[in-house]
Amino acid sequence: GGTTSGLMLALAAAIESAFLGFSFTVALLRATRRRCAAVIAALPCLMMVTSAVTAGVWAEGIQTTAAFSGMLSFSLIALLFMILEELLVEARATRFGGLWAIGIWFYIGFLMSITFDIFL
């Protein structure tokens, strides 16, 4: 169901973020002193824990508000836009570089999936 899909998406995003954080920390250790790198690397972890606790405390009360729906919608569209931009960069590097319709069809498909989800 929807809960399982959401948990799987959250887990995948967490794993990806962990690898990005690890890569960042390794690069940081090469560029700065260890103590400075440890402080800088600890800040994102602290922010993630703080965000998780805050979300756990407030999630029940805000799930049905318009602000929550708007934030979730904006986040989803921003994520899809970043993914689309990356795909378009790759498409330009290949033989599909001149096809501007790729972006249009992506958004049409996204709009259709939202429409089907609402009306079906």
Side-chain angles (χ1 to χ4, degrees), residues 17-90:
S17 296
F19 280 112
L20 288 173
F22 179 72
S23 299
F24 171 73
T25 303
V26 169
L28 190 63
L29 284 172
R30 291 180 186 157
T32 63
R33 296 186 312 247
R34 289 196 184 274
R35 187 172 297 171
C36 182
V39 170
I40 293 171
L43 289 175
C45 296
L46 180 63
M47 289 189 298
M48 284 176 43
V49 169
T50 304
S51 298
V53 169
T54 304
V57 170
W58 290 96
E60 193 68 35
I62 66 168
Q63 285 181 346
T64 58
T65 64
F68 180 74
S69 297
M71 179 198 64
L72 202 57
S73 299
F74 177 78
S75 300
L76 178 64
I77 296 301
L79 178 64
L80 288 173
F81 178 76
M82 289 187 315
I83 291 169
L84 175 64
E85 285 299 309
E86 183 64 31
L87 289 175
L88 287 176
V89 167
E90 289 181 24

Side-chain angles (χ1 to χ4, degrees), residues 1-15:
T3 304
T4 305
S5 299
L7 288 174
M8 288 175 50
L9 182 60
L11 181 62
I15 291 170

